Amino acid sequence: MKKTLFFLLFTFSLIASSCSNGSTGSQTNSPTKEANAAEQANTEADQTNEEIPSTNEQIKEIRSMLKMKDSKLPTKFPITDTEYVGAKMNKNESDEYSISFYQTQEPVPINDESLATNDNRIATFKAETFDDPAKQKELFPEVSLDSIPDDMKVELGHQIIGMKEGAAGSSYLLWKEGRWVLQIKSISADELDTINIARKMVDYLEENALPVPKDNGRIEVSYPQNAEEVEVTARWEEENIVYTLETEEVPINALMMTVSTE
C-alpha cells in the first residue's frame, strides 16, 4: 500500500514539473522571437535605406564625374518626400557641362535609360567657359534703373523699386537685387499680375541669398500666351565661367534651385 502511494506521488510530481517547465519555456521564448523579428525588420529597413541614394549623395557622385574643376550644382529640388531626383549628363567636358534633372517615382542611377523618355524634367543646369569677354558680356545686357519715371515705378517691398513698361504687345517688369537684374515678361493682353509675382520673389530673396556673381547675374521669367506655362532662366558669371539654370517650374522653385547652387 505504501509503495503504491509512493508511486502515485512520484508520478504526480513528474507531471507537475513537466507542465511547469513547459509553461516557463513558452513564456521565455515568446519575447525572444518577437525581439529577433523586430531586429530583422530593422536590419531590412536599414539595408533598404542604404540602397536609396539621397539627393546629396547623387550630387556628390555627379560632381566626382565632372571633368571641369570647381564645378557647381544645385543641391535642392522641388520634389515631395515620396519622389526622387534622376540626373542625365548631356555634356561633360573640361570647359563645360550640362546636366538635366528629372522627377522620378523611384530612385534611378545617373544616366539611367528611363530618363530618355521622362517628361518630368525639373531643370537643366549648365556651366560654360568663355575665352572671349565680349561674347560673355552679350549674355548680360546693361540695365539702368537709376532714374525711373514716376508713372513706371513699382513698389516691390523691402525698399526695392521696380520698373514696369510695355512694348510690342509685351509687358516687362524689371528690378535689381545687388548685382542681379530680374525681369518678368508677359503678354500685355493677358493682364497678368506680374507685380504680385515679383513681390513674392522679393520676399523669398529677402530670406534666401542668390549666388554672388563676379559682375553680373540675370533672372528672366517669361509667361507665354495665356500664362498657362512659365519659362525661367537664371544666369550668372564667376570669372570666365557662366552658370545657367533653365526650368519650367514656377519662379519660387527656380529661385530655390538657384539659391541652393554650390
Side-chain angles (χ1 to χ4, degrees):
M1 181 67 179
K2 290 182 178 180
K3 289 182 179 181
T4 301
L5 181 59
F6 175 80
F7 177 77
L8 291 174
L9 291 173
F10 180 76
T11 301
F12 178 81
S13 175
L14 287 177
I15 294 173
S17 176
S18 175
C19 293
S20 176
N21 289 338
S23 174
T24 303
S26 175
Q27 292 175 355
T28 303
N29 291 336
S30 179
T32 302
K33 289 180 180 179
E34 291 178 359
N36 291 340
E39 182 178 353
Q40 182 178 356
N42 289 335
T43 301
E44 291 176 353
D46 291 340
Q47 290 175 345
T48 300
N49 290 335
E50 289 175 1
E51 293 171 358
I52 300 177
S54 65
T55 299
N56 288 338
E57 290 170 338
Q58 287 239 58
I59 295 301
K60 184 177 180 181
E61 183 178 355
I62 294 171
R63 209 184 297 275
S64 70
M65 297 168 65
L66 292 175
K67 297 177 182 178
M68 181 186 283
K69 296 181 179 179
D70 303 324
S71 58
K72 294 182 181 293
L73 293 168
T75 59
K76 292 182 179 179
F77 300 88
I79 58 172
T80 66
D81 293 338
T82 60
E83 296 170 338
Y84 302 90
V85 173
K88 183 177 70 173
M89 303 183 73
N90 308 312
K91 187 174 291 187
N92 184 13
E93 305 295 340
S94 60
D95 59 347
E96 64 178 318
Y97 59 86
S98 170
I99 303 165
S100 292
F101 296 95
Y102 297 84
Q103 171 195 316
T104 65
Q105 298 304 311
E106 58 184 21
V108 297
I110 295 170
N111 293 329
D112 189 76
E113 61 181 13
S114 66
L115 299 176
T117 56
N118 188 321
D119 296 328
N120 297 318
R121 184 181 71 97
I122 301 174
T124 294
F125 188 82
K126 308 174 183 178
E128 185 176 2
T129 304
F130 284 83
D131 297 323
D132 184 355
K135 187 142 182 94
Q136 180 176 338
K137 190 175 182 180
E138 291 177 4
L139 298 173
F140 303 94
E142 292 187 14
V143 174
S144 177
L145 298 177
D146 295 334
S147 300
I148 305 175
D150 289 341
D151 61 340
M152 299 171 68
K153 286 183 179 180
V154 179
E155 172 61 51
L156 300 178
H158 306 284
Q159 299 182 337
I160 293 179
I161 303 297
M163 180 178 71
K164 188 169 184 179
E165 59 181 348
S170 295
S171 174
Y172 297 86
L173 175 56
L174 295 92
W175 73 97
K176 280 189 173 182
E177 301 213 19
R179 298 174 183 174
W180 287 81
V181 173
L182 297 93
Q183 171 187 287
I184 301 178
K185 176 186 176 182
S186 63
I187 305 300
S188 298
D190 290 339
E191 299 184 349
L192 183 66
D193 189 357
T194 54
I195 295 177
N196 184 49
I197 296 171
R199 285 172 176 165
K200 289 180 179 179
M201 294 172 68
V202 169
D203 286 342
Y204 182 86
L205 293 176
E206 185 69 15
E207 303 293 333
N208 303 274
L210 289 164
V212 180
K214 173 193 174 186
D215 292 312
N216 299 295
R218 187 176 179 89
I219 293 177
E220 298 178 352
V221 180
S222 178
Y223 288 92
Q225 192 75 35
N226 300 323
E228 293 179 354
E229 298 176 352
V230 63
E231 299 171 355
V232 184
T233 299
R235 179 182 291 119
W236 70 99
E237 54 184 352
E238 296 186 15
E239 301 300 334
N240 64 334
I241 300 176
V242 174
Y243 296 99
T244 304
L245 182 138
E246 299 172 340
T247 182
E248 296 177 4
E249 292 284 331
V250 296
I252 295 300
N253 287 346
L255 291 179
M256 177 191 71
M257 290 185 281
T258 304
V259 164
S260 75
T261 301
E262 58 183 34

